[in-house]
Amino acid sequence: MLTAITGINWGDEGKGRMVDLLSQDYDIVVRYQGGNNAGHTVKNPRGKFVLNLLPSGILRPEVVCVMGNGMLIDPHHLDGEIASLREKGIEISPANLKISDRATICMPFHVEQDGLEEERLSKTGAQFGSTKRGIAYGYADKYMKKTLRMGDLLHLDENVKRRLATIVESKNLVMEGCYNAKPTDLEEMWAWCQKYAEIFKDYICDAGDYLDKADREGKKILFEAQLGALRDIDFGIYPYTSSSNVIGAYAPIGAGIPGHKLDLSIGIMKAYSSCVGDGPFTAELAMTEEEKDKLREAGHEYGAATGRPRRVGPIDVVASRYGVGCQGCDEVALTLLDVLDYMEKIPVVAHYQLADGTLTDRFPMGKALDEAKPVVEYLPGWHCDITACRKFEELPAEAQNYVNYLEKQIGCRIAYISVGAERDACIRR
């Protein structure tokens, strides 16, 4: 049984919370793409946790977690994240965490270059809103074959050091020539690799072989994505995207079992819209600044990885319908419905108006998206606390109508509704 849990919007939909909930039914949880540039916030009986690299299944001791070959891993950050979880009583060992030997390493010079380039772009207002974690530059070097992989840490011989020397030499042409920055020192990078080789040597393995055998043995595997469909490098709001494929179809590839197929795709959708970073975000045009401030505070909309205030707006069914299609969703989980408890009436972005006045229900790209304006409809609010509801029938009629309306608009069954941050604050339909 292979199941993917993916975001259908701009990210920050609550995937970590849903993985934490649903992982009780799975043997293995796999992260298949991305790096530490986004965070999954999970609140359960063991406490509140913010995960950047580790799969959310790590909070369940009976689950084995895998970091797939499609990931970009910063060993320094991973070491700190593991240490932080251990301080809170979470056990992490090679028995419950496996790292693909094919995963790309995010090196210190990737992080440095990210910061330098974003600073350069900001002088003309052309910045991307990068988290400055080195993600784009690590992935770029992956495709130029100019970085190391986690498996290289298992045999740091002269061949690997020669490769690293070539990489550092090439990177310094950019760091010194373009940014007038201090050159990267080869010996420092070699010592850095040796340090993390010692720390992670027992975790690194052929993750694809492990997952292939597990699937053939009938184990249940859950794939966890970072960000959402609108941040996918191919199908998102390019160039304001992540640097990897976040769509569910990529899950078996990024996990290490490209010949396997998904059995189930679960999309995660917020009850309203939020977005971190720059780029077109039509939904925010549908609210006044005062309305957005109230929604941001009600939803505690600040980035888990960066702490930055998120851009917010009403739920956008045009974008959500597109995301559901990209993810090939069989069913959807609607999160944070309780955040809307305070609203007398609930705005919904039902259509887009293009620059020529045309109304459309199709999510556009490029200039058309940049110029699109939201067409808003309003549904009655319920204006009461729904956090104690555990059955759909216990929700106020207005909340039920809101869910049914969204289900019809996006063309996919809403199977889960979260009504609070706690693990059990969820309705299964």
Side-chain angles (χ1 to χ4, degrees):
M1 177 71 174
L2 304 182
T3 300
I5 290 186
T6 57
I8 67 170
N9 293 127
W10 298 266
D12 305 305
E13 298 96 343
K15 294 179 296 299
R17 179 250 191 281
M18 291 306 300
V19 171
D20 178 60
L21 173 68
L22 298 179
S23 58
Q24 63 183 326
D25 299 323
Y26 288 81
D27 304 295
I28 300 168
V29 175
V30 187
R31 265 282 304 273
Y32 62 86
Q33 52 74 225
N36 59 310
N37 56 321
H40 288 167
T41 302
V42 178
K43 184 177 180 181
N44 61 34
R46 306 184 76 176
K48 181 180 179 180
F49 304 89
V50 177
L51 306 172
N52 298 130
L53 280 170
L54 290 167
S56 301
I58 201 69
L59 302 176
R60 289 191 179 275
E62 70 278 11
V63 169
V64 175
C65 288
V66 176
M67 303 176 72
N69 55 274
M71 289 190 69
L72 181 75
I73 298 175
D74 181 337
H76 173 72
H77 185 98
L78 180 59
D79 185 38
E81 190 171 320
I82 289 173
S84 177
L85 290 180
R86 283 174 173 161
E87 288 177 0
K88 295 181 179 181
I90 305 300
E91 294 184 10
I92 301 174
S93 72
N96 71 336
L97 176 63
K98 302 184 184 301
I99 302 172
S100 172
D101 54 4
R102 293 176 172 86
T104 303
I105 297 177
C106 184
M107 303 288 289
F109 49 72
H110 292 136
V111 178
E112 183 181 2
Q113 186 179 1
D114 197 348
L116 290 168
E117 178 64 5
E118 193 72 356
E119 181 181 357
R120 185 187 73 83
L121 292 172
S122 67
K123 295 175 182 178
T124 59
Q127 69 274 13
F128 289 100
S130 170
T131 56
K132 302 178 184 180
R133 301 287 179 91
I135 308 305
Y137 301 91
Y139 273 117
D141 282 351
K142 168 184 176 177
Y143 288 104
M144 291 194 294
K145 284 79 74 179
K146 288 183 178 178
T147 191
L148 300 180
R149 304 200 294 184
M150 293 299 291
D152 291 319
L153 299 183
L154 297 180
H155 52 88
L156 291 176
D157 54 23
E158 285 303 310
N159 288 331
V160 175
K161 189 169 186 180
R162 279 195 295 270
R163 283 179 53 213
L164 181 60
T166 300
I167 291 167
V168 168
E169 181 183 21
S170 175
K171 186 61 64 175
N172 280 339
L173 292 174
V174 176
M175 302 300 278
E176 294 182 277
C178 295
Y179 300 108
N180 296 315
K182 179 183 176 182
T184 298
D185 183 80
L186 172 61
E187 294 305 324
E188 287 183 7
M189 288 299 96
W190 187 245
W192 185 89
C193 289
Q194 290 176 316
K195 173 183 177 179
Y196 292 107
E198 184 62 28
I199 292 172
F200 291 114
K201 63 182 181 181
D202 295 330
Y203 294 83
I204 301 167
C205 65
D206 186 339
D209 182 62
Y210 170 78
L211 292 172
D212 178 66
K213 291 178 179 177
D215 186 37
R216 295 179 189 282
E217 291 171 359
K219 297 289 181 65
K220 298 180 71 175
I221 302 173
L222 185 65
F223 299 105
E224 177 181 8
Q226 174 203 56
L227 299 170
L230 300 179
R231 296 298 189 187
D232 183 87
I233 186 66
D234 290 323
F235 300 99
I237 52 172
Y238 189 87
Y240 302 98
T241 64
S242 190
S243 300
S244 59
N245 289 110
V246 307
I247 58 172
Y250 184 75
I253 300 170
I257 46 174
H260 297 237
K261 297 180 181 179
L262 291 178
D263 297 297
L264 180 65
S265 176
I266 303 174
I268 313 300
M269 178 178 75
K270 261 181 182 169
Y272 55 94
S273 298
S274 71
C275 172
V276 172
D278 296 313
F281 182 47
T282 307
E284 70 182 345
L285 304 176
M287 281 182 161
T288 65
E289 291 302 319
E290 182 180 358
E291 289 171 335
K292 287 186 285 189
D293 286 342
K294 287 182 179 179
L295 179 56
R296 185 178 296 111
E297 290 304 312
H300 307 292
E301 289 296 339
Y302 299 90
T306 64
R308 293 184 297 187
R310 294 182 182 133
R311 300 158 69 188
V312 296
I315 195 164
D316 184 333
V317 297
V318 179
S320 297
R321 189 184 303 114
Y322 173 76
V324 165
C326 286
Q327 300 292 16
C329 295
D330 299 298
E331 53 191 38
V332 165
L334 182 68
T335 63
L336 297 168
L337 184 62
D338 56 298
V339 171
L340 306 184
D341 285 354
Y342 74 95
M343 290 187 175
E344 293 285 355
K345 59 179 182 178
I346 301 175
V348 174
V349 177
H351 318 278
Y352 285 0
Q353 183 180 42
L354 303 181
D356 63 1
T358 303
L359 293 184
T360 183
D361 292 332
R362 181 178 178 273
F363 189 72
M365 285 291 174
K367 185 179 180 180
L369 180 59
D370 292 338
E371 298 176 346
K373 296 180 181 180
V375 178
V376 182
E377 295 180 356
Y378 290 90
L379 279 70
W382 44 94
H383 205 57
C384 65
D385 185 353
I386 63 170
T387 56
C389 297
R390 294 296 179 269
K391 295 181 179 179
F392 187 69
E393 295 75 19
E394 294 174 356
L395 289 172
E398 295 83 357
Q400 294 183 37
N401 291 337
Y402 184 69
V403 173
N404 289 332
Y405 169 88
L406 296 179
E407 192 172 63
K408 181 179 179 181
Q409 291 297 316
I410 64 174
C412 189
R413 187 173 75 94
I414 295 176
Y416 304 89
I417 304 166
S418 84
V419 293
E422 289 72 21
R423 181 179 276 175
D424 67 339
C426 186
I427 295 169
R428 296 194 185 207
R429 296 178 76 191

